[in-house]
Amino acid sequence: MTGKPVHLAVYDTFADWETGFATAYLARGGHLIRTVGASAATPVTSIGGLRVLPDLALDDVRPEDSSLLILPGADLWDTADDLAPFARKAREFLAAGTPVAAICGATAGLAREGLLDERDHTSAVSFYLAATGYRGGHRYTEADAVTDGALITAGPTEPVAFAREILHLLGVYEGEVLDAWYRLFHDSDPQAYAVLENATAGR
């Protein structure tokens, strides 16, 4: 295994498809993935009906013990305040210099927490974040995914680009190998498959 674990937040209605590329290839790259919920004793259910018992409670996760906190989207980001503690944990991580990756509705949670006011970011569409009342509209970027320092953001239709930024940030793939990985899974480019296979043979 490689260094400190990656922590994947899980909560009811989390969008299970948004983080699958990232977690699968982080795990293949030697990173331990640990799930984090509001409680380690209470299972959560994804939008797709997957039932997950978190490995850890949110209160027990510390930035210094983590390589990355991943926040998937969920209906609850927009319908209740239940997930606000996860946004506050993201603030704690970023303050400590530990990376955070947020996709879809989780970007709105970070916007409400004020974490996007002075960082470049993206989401589903600009007016989705504008509806939160945040002050970071001038830093919104029309892109599939955006990395600004220790923060990665992406919209709900970009799980592959989201994973690309994560894999680059943690050094799993770089350069032409990372480009080939993205072209394979985003564009179904058969030539990219050969590049990736040759580059990762023996890993």
Side-chain angles (χ1 to χ4, degrees):
M1 290 296 172
T2 301
K4 300 172 183 177
V6 170
H7 290 96
L8 171 66
V10 292
Y11 21 72
D12 283 330
T13 74
F14 78 91
D16 37 33
W17 69 89
E18 291 177 344
T19 60
F21 285 99
T23 55
Y25 281 86
L26 284 170
R28 285 190 168 192
H31 289 271
L32 174 65
I33 310 297
R34 302 202 73 190
T35 53
V36 180
S39 166
T42 305
V44 299
T45 304
S46 75
I47 290 177
L50 299 181
R51 186 176 168 87
V52 177
L53 180 64
D55 295 315
L56 296 166
L58 185 65
D59 287 346
D60 295 331
V61 177
R62 304 187 307 166
E64 58 266 36
D65 298 329
S66 182
S67 294
L68 171 71
L69 174 65
I70 302 177
L71 300 173
D75 291 344
L76 287 178
W77 282 113
D78 296 320
T79 59
D81 293 329
D82 298 25
L83 303 187
F86 289 89
R88 291 194 292 271
K89 182 63 70 171
R91 175 180 291 281
E92 182 183 333
F93 266 57
L94 291 172
T98 304
V100 172
I103 186 169
C104 190
T107 62
L110 298 192
R112 294 185 188 96
E113 185 64 19
L115 296 176
L116 305 185
D117 289 350
E118 298 301 333
R119 292 181 173 92
D120 292 340
H121 60 276
T122 193
S123 185
V125 288
S126 59
F127 57 80
Y128 169 63
L129 291 187
T132 68
Y134 86 131
R135 298 179 294 176
H138 62 295
R139 301 295 293 266
Y140 188 89
T141 304
E142 294 288 352
D144 53 12
V146 172
T147 298
D148 185 333
L151 177 65
I152 295 169
T153 52
T157 61
E158 299 295 345
V160 180
F162 185 60
R164 176 195 65 206
E165 298 300 299
I166 290 171
L167 297 176
H168 175 65
L169 187 69
L170 294 188
V172 176
Y173 297 138
E174 296 178 340
E176 68 173 7
V177 178
L178 180 65
D179 178 65
W181 183 90
Y182 180 74
R183 287 188 289 113
L184 176 63
F185 289 104
H186 188 266
D187 304 325
S188 300
D189 182 347
Q191 294 182 342
Y193 180 79
V195 173
L196 191 62
E197 283 296 294
N198 290 336
T200 59
R203 282 189 63 172

